[in-house]
Amino acid sequence: MKRIYIYILIFLMFTGIIGVASFFPLNYYGEIDKISKKYEVDREIIYSVIKIESNFREGVVSHKGAIGLMQIMPPTGEWMAQTHNLPYSEKMLLDPVYNIKIGTLYLHYLMKRYDGNIEKVLIAYNAGPSRLKDGSWKKFKETRNYLRKYKITNFFYRIRLFFR
């Protein structure tokens, strides 16, 4: 844990406040603020997931088929839309605001499922709930790195949102 703080200090020394602001943007602030309140997921969690998943690239599609800012898998998107009586099409996941809404609904679902344990929520979001349950996520360096990235990213987004 101490190593993370050393990296943060080094980053701050080299980039300064303006660098932090440009490296951790607050794109879609109004929409994220509204969605965050509606679905009871902290804004810094949403921003951190977007930063890690897509780095705010709207139309990105992963090699595994995850779509958009929050990298939603189409079956997950369809399931979230159906359970909340929302319209759905795979193409709709390319719309940034719709993608944020569906991704936040999924985070909300995971937060309830795992009693707000953010580490479990993030593991399930990144590797899938089945890999969390059987512990196989530990084999994936990507998921372990995802948790590290989240801690750093979330720290900076807390600062950015505090001073907004």
Side-chain angles (χ1 to χ4, degrees):
M1 189 64 162
K2 290 180 184 179
R3 188 181 297 175
I4 288 174
Y5 293 116
I6 291 169
Y7 293 143
I8 291 170
L9 285 173
I10 291 169
F11 179 79
L12 285 173
M13 286 176 12
F14 284 112
T15 63
I17 299 300
I18 293 170
V20 171
S22 63
F23 196 73
F24 296 95
L26 294 178
N27 301 2
Y28 308 103
Y29 181 82
E31 294 89 346
I32 288 175
D33 189 52
K34 188 176 172 183
I35 291 167
S36 165
K37 289 173 183 167
K38 184 173 183 178
Y39 300 115
E40 301 172 330
V41 176
D42 292 337
R43 293 174 304 179
E44 63 267 12
I45 294 172
I46 299 167
Y47 273 110
S48 298
V49 169
I50 292 170
K51 176 72 175 168
I52 296 165
E53 291 288 348
S54 69
N55 199 23
F56 292 90
R57 293 174 295 158
E58 296 174 359
V60 69
V61 178
S62 77
H63 66 280
K64 292 184 179 179
I67 299 172
L69 290 173
M70 295 187 78
Q71 289 292 276
I72 307 297
M73 293 298 287
T76 302
E78 184 175 17
W79 175 52
M80 285 291 103
Q82 284 177 350
T83 58
H84 292 86
N85 295 319
L86 296 172
Y88 176 80
S89 74
E90 200 170 303
K91 187 177 180 182
M92 291 174 75
L93 291 175
L94 290 168
D95 175 77
V97 176
Y98 184 82
N99 189 281
I100 292 167
K101 182 183 250 184
I102 294 294
T104 303
L105 279 168
Y106 188 50
L107 285 170
H108 177 77
Y109 162 78
L110 293 172
M111 301 263 300
K112 283 189 167 203
R113 181 173 178 179
Y114 299 113
D115 298 319
N117 182 323
I118 194 64
E119 186 169 292
K120 287 182 178 181
V121 168
L122 294 168
I123 292 166
Y125 192 94
N126 180 257
S130 63
R131 289 200 174 115
L132 172 63
K133 187 176 180 181
D134 68 15
S136 64
W137 70 271
K138 295 174 187 173
K139 298 176 189 174
F140 297 99
K141 186 177 181 180
E142 176 190 338
T143 303
R144 293 191 312 270
N145 286 339
Y146 191 88
L147 293 174
R148 285 187 199 108
K149 288 178 190 176
Y150 175 81
K151 289 175 185 173
I152 294 168
T153 304
N154 188 264
F155 173 83
F156 283 108
Y157 270 113
R158 284 178 184 256
I159 292 169
R160 285 282 284 134
L161 290 163
F162 181 80
F163 287 107
R164 174 149 181 10

mmCIF file of all heavy atoms in Angstrom, residues 32-63:
data_model
loop_
_atom_site.group_PDB
_atom_site.id
_atom_site.type_symbol
_atom_site.label_atom_id
_atom_site.label_comp_id
_atom_site.label_asym_id
_atom_site.label_seq_id
_atom_site.Cartn_x
_atom_site.Cartn_y
_atom_site.Cartn_z
ATOM 1 N N ILE A 32 -23.138 12.434 -15.295
ATOM 2 C CA ILE A 32 -22.650 11.502 -14.268
ATOM 3 C C ILE A 32 -23.177 11.903 -12.897
ATOM 4 O O ILE A 32 -23.565 11.044 -12.097
ATOM 5 C CB ILE A 32 -21.112 11.400 -14.299
ATOM 6 C CG1 ILE A 32 -20.686 10.629 -15.551
ATOM 7 C CG2 ILE A 32 -20.574 10.729 -13.030
ATOM 8 C CD1 ILE A 32 -19.195 10.546 -15.784
ATOM 9 N N ASP A 33 -23.231 13.188 -12.616
ATOM 10 C CA ASP A 33 -23.757 13.655 -11.332
ATOM 11 C C ASP A 33 -25.207 13.192 -11.163
ATOM 12 O O ASP A 33 -25.590 12.658 -10.112
ATOM 13 C CB ASP A 33 -23.650 15.180 -11.262
ATOM 14 C CG ASP A 33 -23.976 15.713 -9.888
ATOM 15 O OD1 ASP A 33 -23.380 15.227 -8.898
ATOM 16 O OD2 ASP A 33 -24.839 16.617 -9.791
ATOM 17 N N LYS A 34 -25.999 13.377 -12.200
ATOM 18 C CA LYS A 34 -27.418 12.985 -12.172
ATOM 19 C C LYS A 34 -27.574 11.464 -12.030
ATOM 20 O O LYS A 34 -28.355 10.982 -11.203
ATOM 21 C CB LYS A 34 -28.072 13.477 -13.463
ATOM 22 C CG LYS A 34 -29.557 13.335 -13.531
ATOM 23 C CD LYS A 34 -30.047 13.975 -14.833
ATOM 24 C CE LYS A 34 -31.496 13.706 -15.083
ATOM 25 N NZ LYS A 34 -31.938 14.259 -16.371
ATOM 26 N N ILE A 35 -26.850 10.711 -12.841
ATOM 27 C CA ILE A 35 -26.927 9.244 -12.814
ATOM 28 C C ILE A 35 -26.420 8.701 -11.481
ATOM 29 O O ILE A 35 -26.998 7.781 -10.902
ATOM 30 C CB ILE A 35 -26.143 8.644 -14.005
ATOM 31 C CG1 ILE A 35 -26.867 8.970 -15.322
ATOM 32 C CG2 ILE A 35 -25.957 7.139 -13.851
ATOM 33 C CD1 ILE A 35 -26.047 8.702 -16.576
ATOM 34 N N SER A 36 -25.350 9.301 -10.979
ATOM 35 C CA SER A 36 -24.776 8.899 -9.692
ATOM 36 C C SER A 36 -25.805 9.002 -8.569
ATOM 37 O O SER A 36 -25.952 8.081 -7.757
ATOM 38 C CB SER A 36 -23.563 9.793 -9.390
ATOM 39 O OG SER A 36 -23.174 9.689 -8.051
ATOM 40 N N LYS A 37 -26.503 10.105 -8.522
ATOM 41 C CA LYS A 37 -27.517 10.312 -7.480
ATOM 42 C C LYS A 37 -28.697 9.366 -7.661
ATOM 43 O O LYS A 37 -29.186 8.788 -6.686
ATOM 44 C CB LYS A 37 -27.990 11.761 -7.500
ATOM 45 C CG LYS A 37 -26.945 12.725 -6.988
ATOM 46 C CD LYS A 37 -27.359 14.161 -7.163
ATOM 47 C CE LYS A 37 -26.219 15.077 -6.703
ATOM 48 N NZ LYS A 37 -26.438 16.468 -7.128
ATOM 49 N N LYS A 38 -29.116 9.196 -8.898
ATOM 50 C CA LYS A 38 -30.283 8.349 -9.171
ATOM 51 C C LYS A 38 -30.031 6.889 -8.776
ATOM 52 O O LYS A 38 -30.907 6.232 -8.214
ATOM 53 C CB LYS A 38 -30.664 8.439 -10.648
ATOM 54 C CG LYS A 38 -31.921 7.680 -10.993
ATOM 55 C CD LYS A 38 -32.363 7.925 -12.415
ATOM 56 C CE LYS A 38 -33.658 7.200 -12.700
ATOM 57 N NZ LYS A 38 -34.141 7.459 -14.052
ATOM 58 N N TYR A 39 -28.827 6.393 -9.078
ATOM 59 C CA TYR A 39 -28.541 4.979 -8.840
ATOM 60 C C TYR A 39 -27.629 4.732 -7.640
ATOM 61 O O TYR A 39 -27.164 3.610 -7.427
ATOM 62 C CB TYR A 39 -27.973 4.339 -10.113
ATOM 63 C CG TYR A 39 -28.942 4.424 -11.259
ATOM 64 C CD1 TYR A 39 -28.653 5.167 -12.391
ATOM 65 C CD2 TYR A 39 -30.179 3.798 -11.192
ATOM 66 C CE1 TYR A 39 -29.553 5.269 -13.439
ATOM 67 C CE2 TYR A 39 -31.091 3.894 -12.225
ATOM 68 C CZ TYR A 39 -30.773 4.634 -13.348
ATOM 69 O OH TYR A 39 -31.674 4.737 -14.377
ATOM 70 N N GLU A 40 -27.377 5.784 -6.867
ATOM 71 C CA GLU A 40 -26.650 5.688 -5.595
ATOM 72 C C GLU A 40 -25.274 5.044 -5.736
ATOM 73 O O GLU A 40 -24.896 4.145 -4.981
ATOM 74 C CB GLU A 40 -27.487 4.938 -4.566
ATOM 75 C CG GLU A 40 -28.824 5.595 -4.279
ATOM 76 C CD GLU A 40 -29.733 4.751 -3.408
ATOM 77 O OE1 GLU A 40 -29.642 3.499 -3.458
ATOM 78 O OE2 GLU A 40 -30.527 5.351 -2.680
ATOM 79 N N VAL A 41 -24.529 5.511 -6.728
ATOM 80 C CA VAL A 41 -23.142 5.087 -6.919
ATOM 81 C C VAL A 41 -22.306 6.361 -6.935
ATOM 82 O O VAL A 41 -22.598 7.280 -7.696
ATOM 83 C CB VAL A 41 -22.952 4.299 -8.232
ATOM 84 C CG1 VAL A 41 -21.487 3.943 -8.453
ATOM 85 C CG2 VAL A 41 -23.813 3.039 -8.231
ATOM 86 N N ASP A 42 -21.290 6.427 -6.086
ATOM 87 C CA ASP A 42 -20.465 7.630 -5.995
ATOM 88 C C ASP A 42 -19.859 8.003 -7.340
ATOM 89 O O ASP A 42 -19.417 7.128 -8.098
ATOM 90 C CB ASP A 42 -19.340 7.445 -4.974
ATOM 91 C CG ASP A 42 -19.845 7.352 -3.551
ATOM 92 O OD1 ASP A 42 -20.958 7.842 -3.272
ATOM 93 O OD2 ASP A 42 -19.124 6.785 -2.718
ATOM 94 N N ARG A 43 -19.815 9.302 -7.606
ATOM 95 C CA ARG A 43 -19.277 9.803 -8.874
ATOM 96 C C ARG A 43 -17.840 9.356 -9.095
ATOM 97 O O ARG A 43 -17.470 8.998 -10.212
ATOM 98 C CB ARG A 43 -19.324 11.337 -8.912
ATOM 99 C CG ARG A 43 -20.717 11.904 -8.949
ATOM 100 C CD ARG A 43 -20.706 13.395 -8.844
ATOM 101 N NE ARG A 43 -19.999 13.788 -7.619
ATOM 102 C CZ ARG A 43 -19.790 15.026 -7.241
ATOM 103 N NH1 ARG A 43 -20.205 16.028 -7.984
ATOM 104 N NH2 ARG A 43 -19.165 15.300 -6.125
ATOM 105 N N GLU A 44 -17.028 9.364 -8.038
ATOM 106 C CA GLU A 44 -15.625 8.989 -8.237
ATOM 107 C C GLU A 44 -15.475 7.524 -8.635
ATOM 108 O O GLU A 44 -14.526 7.166 -9.326
ATOM 109 C CB GLU A 44 -14.755 9.333 -7.028
ATOM 110 C CG GLU A 44 -15.107 8.626 -5.758
ATOM 111 C CD GLU A 44 -16.063 9.411 -4.867
ATOM 112 O OE1 GLU A 44 -16.648 10.424 -5.300
ATOM 113 O OE2 GLU A 44 -16.240 8.975 -3.717
ATOM 114 N N ILE A 45 -16.417 6.696 -8.241
ATOM 115 C CA ILE A 45 -16.391 5.293 -8.670
ATOM 116 C C ILE A 45 -16.680 5.224 -10.171
ATOM 117 O O ILE A 45 -15.969 4.545 -10.921
ATOM 118 C CB ILE A 45 -17.398 4.438 -7.874
ATOM 119 C CG1 ILE A 45 -16.978 4.360 -6.404
ATOM 120 C CG2 ILE A 45 -17.522 3.040 -8.487
ATOM 121 C CD1 ILE A 45 -18.012 3.709 -5.499
ATOM 122 N N ILE A 46 -17.698 5.938 -10.609
ATOM 123 C CA ILE A 46 -18.062 5.943 -12.030
ATOM 124 C C ILE A 46 -16.908 6.488 -12.864
ATOM 125 O O ILE A 46 -16.502 5.882 -13.862
ATOM 126 C CB ILE A 46 -19.349 6.764 -12.263
ATOM 127 C CG1 ILE A 46 -20.518 6.153 -11.492
ATOM 128 C CG2 ILE A 46 -19.666 6.848 -13.756
ATOM 129 C CD1 ILE A 46 -21.745 7.049 -11.397
ATOM 130 N N TYR A 47 -16.373 7.639 -12.454
ATOM 131 C CA TYR A 47 -15.252 8.227 -13.192
ATOM 132 C C TYR A 47 -14.050 7.293 -13.220
ATOM 133 O O TYR A 47 -13.386 7.155 -14.250
ATOM 134 C CB TYR A 47 -14.840 9.574 -12.580
ATOM 135 C CG TYR A 47 -15.614 10.737 -13.131
ATOM 136 C CD1 TYR A 47 -16.536 11.410 -12.351
ATOM 137 C CD2 TYR A 47 -15.428 11.163 -14.445
ATOM 138 C CE1 TYR A 47 -17.249 12.489 -12.857
ATOM 139 C CE2 TYR A 47 -16.142 12.233 -14.959
ATOM 140 C CZ TYR A 47 -17.042 12.894 -14.158
ATOM 141 O OH TYR A 47 -17.742 13.950 -14.681
ATOM 142 N N SER A 48 -13.749 6.648 -12.105
ATOM 143 C CA SER A 48 -12.596 5.754 -12.047
ATOM 144 C C SER A 48 -12.761 4.573 -12.993
ATOM 145 O O SER A 48 -11.821 4.194 -13.695
ATOM 146 C CB SER A 48 -12.381 5.254 -10.612
ATOM 147 O OG SER A 48 -12.099 6.326 -9.747
ATOM 148 N N VAL A 49 -13.958 3.997 -13.015
ATOM 149 C CA VAL A 49 -14.214 2.863 -13.907
ATOM 150 C C VAL A 49 -14.083 3.298 -15.365
ATOM 151 O O VAL A 49 -13.454 2.613 -16.175
ATOM 152 C CB VAL A 49 -15.593 2.223 -13.612
ATOM 153 C CG1 VAL A 49 -15.980 1.228 -14.697
ATOM 154 C CG2 VAL A 49 -15.572 1.540 -12.248
ATOM 155 N N ILE A 50 -14.638 4.457 -15.710
ATOM 156 C CA ILE A 50 -14.533 4.944 -17.086
ATOM 157 C C ILE A 50 -13.066 5.165 -17.455
ATOM 158 O O ILE A 50 -12.620 4.762 -18.534
ATOM 159 C CB ILE A 50 -15.340 6.242 -17.294
ATOM 160 C CG1 ILE A 50 -16.838 5.960 -17.176
ATOM 161 C CG2 ILE A 50 -15.024 6.862 -18.655
ATOM 162 C CD1 ILE A 50 -17.705 7.208 -17.136
ATOM 163 N N LYS A 51 -12.318 5.797 -16.569
ATOM 164 C CA LYS A 51 -10.896 6.078 -16.839
ATOM 165 C C LYS A 51 -10.130 4.773 -17.083
ATOM 166 O O LYS A 51 -9.358 4.660 -18.029
ATOM 167 C CB LYS A 51 -10.294 6.861 -15.664
ATOM 168 C CG LYS A 51 -8.817 7.132 -15.768
ATOM 169 C CD LYS A 51 -8.511 8.156 -16.817
ATOM 170 C CE LYS A 51 -7.020 8.485 -16.812
ATOM 171 N NZ LYS A 51 -6.645 9.259 -17.982
ATOM 172 N N ILE A 52 -10.360 3.793 -16.238
ATOM 173 C CA ILE A 52 -9.635 2.522 -16.351
ATOM 174 C C ILE A 52 -10.111 1.722 -17.563
ATOM 175 O O ILE A 52 -9.304 1.151 -18.296
ATOM 176 C CB ILE A 52 -9.789 1.691 -15.063
ATOM 177 C CG1 ILE A 52 -9.141 2.412 -13.882
ATOM 178 C CG2 ILE A 52 -9.176 0.307 -15.242
ATOM 179 C CD1 ILE A 52 -9.547 1.858 -12.532
ATOM 180 N N GLU A 53 -11.410 1.667 -17.767
ATOM 181 C CA GLU A 53 -11.970 0.831 -18.828
ATOM 182 C C GLU A 53 -11.692 1.361 -20.232
ATOM 183 O O GLU A 53 -11.339 0.592 -21.114
ATOM 184 C CB GLU A 53 -13.480 0.656 -18.637
ATOM 185 C CG GLU A 53 -13.877 -0.192 -17.448
ATOM 186 C CD GLU A 53 -13.585 -1.671 -17.623
ATOM 187 O OE1 GLU A 53 -13.270 -2.114 -18.744
ATOM 188 O OE2 GLU A 53 -13.667 -2.405 -16.621
ATOM 189 N N SER A 54 -11.888 2.674 -20.444
ATOM 190 C CA SER A 54 -11.813 3.188 -21.814
ATOM 191 C C SER A 54 -10.985 4.459 -21.962
ATOM 192 O O SER A 54 -10.777 4.914 -23.083
ATOM 193 C CB SER A 54 -13.220 3.483 -22.334
ATOM 194 O OG SER A 54 -13.762 4.599 -21.635
ATOM 195 N N ASN A 55 -10.568 5.026 -20.850
ATOM 196 C CA ASN A 55 -9.875 6.319 -20.868
ATOM 197 C C ASN A 55 -10.694 7.372 -21.638
ATOM 198 O O ASN A 55 -10.155 8.171 -22.374
ATOM 199 C CB ASN A 55 -8.461 6.188 -21.425
ATOM 200 C CG ASN A 55 -7.579 7.345 -21.038
ATOM 201 O OD1 ASN A 55 -7.823 8.028 -20.050
ATOM 202 N ND2 ASN A 55 -6.550 7.582 -21.830
ATOM 203 N N PHE A 56 -12.007 7.298 -21.454
ATOM 204 C CA PHE A 56 -12.958 8.249 -22.044
ATOM 205 C C PHE A 56 -13.057 8.169 -23.570
ATOM 206 O O PHE A 56 -13.531 9.100 -24.197
ATOM 207 C CB PHE A 56 -12.680 9.680 -21.580
ATOM 208 C CG PHE A 56 -12.969 9.864 -20.120
ATOM 209 C CD1 PHE A 56 -11.997 9.646 -19.172
ATOM 210 C CD2 PHE A 56 -14.244 10.220 -19.703
ATOM 211 C CE1 PHE A 56 -12.263 9.794 -17.822
ATOM 212 C CE2 PHE A 56 -14.525 10.368 -18.353
ATOM 213 C CZ PHE A 56 -13.533 10.155 -17.407
ATOM 214 N N ARG A 57 -12.662 7.051 -24.159
ATOM 215 C CA ARG A 57 -12.847 6.855 -25.604
ATOM 216 C C ARG A 57 -14.244 6.268 -25.805
ATOM 217 O O ARG A 57 -14.501 5.134 -25.442
ATOM 218 C CB ARG A 57 -11.770 5.926 -26.151
ATOM 219 C CG ARG A 57 -10.367 6.550 -26.084
ATOM 220 C CD ARG A 57 -9.306 5.582 -26.499
ATOM 221 N NE ARG A 57 -9.306 4.499 -25.505
ATOM 222 C CZ ARG A 57 -8.824 3.284 -25.727
ATOM 223 N NH1 ARG A 57 -8.310 2.970 -26.888
ATOM 224 N NH2 ARG A 57 -8.846 2.375 -24.783
ATOM 225 N N GLU A 58 -15.103 7.040 -26.404
ATOM 226 C CA GLU A 58 -16.536 6.712 -26.485
ATOM 227 C C GLU A 58 -16.853 5.465 -27.298
ATOM 228 O O GLU A 58 -17.639 4.640 -26.891
ATOM 229 C CB GLU A 58 -17.307 7.895 -27.066
ATOM 230 C CG GLU A 58 -17.263 9.112 -26.198
ATOM 231 C CD GLU A 58 -17.897 10.315 -26.858
ATOM 232 O OE1 GLU A 58 -18.358 10.218 -28.012
ATOM 233 O OE2 GLU A 58 -17.926 11.365 -26.202
ATOM 234 N N GLY A 59 -16.297 5.336 -28.462
ATOM 235 C CA GLY A 59 -16.694 4.267 -29.372
ATOM 236 C C GLY A 59 -15.834 3.024 -29.312
ATOM 237 O O GLY A 59 -15.914 2.170 -30.185
ATOM 238 N N VAL A 60 -15.049 2.883 -28.282
ATOM 239 C CA VAL A 60 -14.122 1.764 -28.210
ATOM 240 C C VAL A 60 -14.869 0.442 -27.989
ATOM 241 O O VAL A 60 -15.848 0.379 -27.251
ATOM 242 C CB VAL A 60 -13.047 2.006 -27.116
ATOM 243 C CG1 VAL A 60 -13.630 1.954 -25.730
ATOM 244 C CG2 VAL A 60 -11.901 1.034 -27.246
ATOM 245 N N VAL A 61 -14.408 -0.586 -28.686
ATOM 246 C CA VAL A 61 -14.925 -1.943 -28.519
ATOM 247 C C VAL A 61 -13.711 -2.838 -28.271
ATOM 248 O O VAL A 61 -12.777 -2.848 -29.064
ATOM 249 C CB VAL A 61 -15.706 -2.421 -29.767
ATOM 250 C CG1 VAL A 61 -16.197 -3.849 -29.588
ATOM 251 C CG2 VAL A 61 -16.870 -1.479 -30.067
ATOM 252 N N SER A 62 -13.741 -3.570 -27.174
ATOM 253 C CA SER A 62 -12.601 -4.415 -26.821
ATOM 254 C C SER A 62 -12.552 -5.662 -27.696
ATOM 255 O O SER A 62 -13.533 -6.011 -28.364
ATOM 256 C CB SER A 62 -12.664 -4.829 -25.346
ATOM 257 O OG SER A 62 -13.614 -5.869 -25.169
ATOM 258 N N HIS A 63 -11.416 -6.355 -27.646
ATOM 259 C CA HIS A 63 -11.287 -7.607 -28.402
ATOM 260 C C HIS A 63 -12.248 -8.680 -27.890
ATOM 261 O O HIS A 63 -12.551 -9.629 -28.592
ATOM 262 C CB HIS A 63 -9.828 -8.103 -28.373
ATOM 263 C CG HIS A 63 -9.359 -8.512 -27.025
ATOM 264 N ND1 HIS A 63 -8.938 -7.598 -26.067
ATOM 265 C CD2 HIS A 63 -9.242 -9.736 -26.462
ATOM 266 C CE1 HIS A 63 -8.584 -8.259 -24.971
ATOM 267 N NE2 HIS A 63 -8.759 -9.546 -25.183
#
